[in-house]
């Protein structure tokens, strides 16, 4: 149980902090968003979704579903990270940063999946 709390709380805080970048530095993500989309709206929505999923990890009753939602989000964004590795000039940072970010995406996918697996079948209220 303690492992689940530490892992889910850590990922929750990470997601909530990452979501703030979409609000306070939206231009950073603009190159990832197709021009046909309203960039500011997409940034804010992505930030809100990341923040809500982060908060959701604190609730044992929905933790497995939230973690599964994060797995899906991380997989959806995986092609962006793969594409960035093959760009002559990556969107965020250098080639080295792009190479480092790609395996981190796989770590995030596994991390969320692991939390999901730990949380499945847990009672809503833990018995002492």
């Amino acid at each position: 149980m303690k492992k689940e709390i530490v892992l889910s709380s850590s990922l929750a805080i990470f997601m909530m902090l990452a979501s703030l970048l979409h609000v306070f530095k939206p231009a950073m993500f603009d190159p990832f968003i197709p021009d046909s989309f309203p960039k500011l709206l997409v940034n804010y929505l992505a930030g809100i979704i990341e923040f809500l999923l982060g908060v959701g990890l604190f609730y044992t009753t929905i933790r497995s579903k939230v973690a599964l939602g994060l797995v899906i989000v991380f997989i959806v964004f995986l092609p962006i990270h793969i594409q960035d590795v093959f760009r002559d000039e990556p969107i965020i940072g250098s080639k080295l940063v792009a190479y480092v970010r790609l395996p981190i995406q796989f770590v995030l996918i596994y991390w969320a999946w692991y939390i999901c697996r730990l949380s499945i079948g847990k009672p809503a209220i833990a018995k002492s």
Side-chain angles (χ1 to χ4, degrees), residues 17-33 39-40 42-44 46-47 50 91-92:
L17 291 173
S19 75
L20 296 177
L21 289 173
H22 287 281
V23 176
F24 295 109
K25 294 202 177 256
M28 181 172 138
F29 300 97
D30 282 354
F32 291 114
I33 303 168
K39 292 183 184 280
L40 195 59
V42 170
N43 265 308
Y44 286 162
E50 286 180 2
I91 291 173
I92 298 176

Side-chain angles (χ1 to χ4, degrees), residues 74-121:
F74 294 144
I75 290 172
V76 165
F77 289 119
L78 183 60
I80 292 170
H81 293 283
I82 292 170
Q83 184 181 17
D84 216 29
V85 165
F86 292 103
R87 290 180 189 269
D88 290 334
E89 292 184 35
I91 291 173
I92 298 176
S94 64
K95 270 295 215 196
L96 178 62
V97 171
Y99 284 127
V100 170
R101 275 190 6 252
L102 183 58
I104 288 173
Q105 196 69 12
F106 287 103
V107 170
L108 291 171
I109 291 167
Y110 180 76
W111 189 355
W113 176 83
Y114 191 74
I115 291 168
C116 181
R117 297 296 300 151
L118 283 175
S119 302
I120 290 175

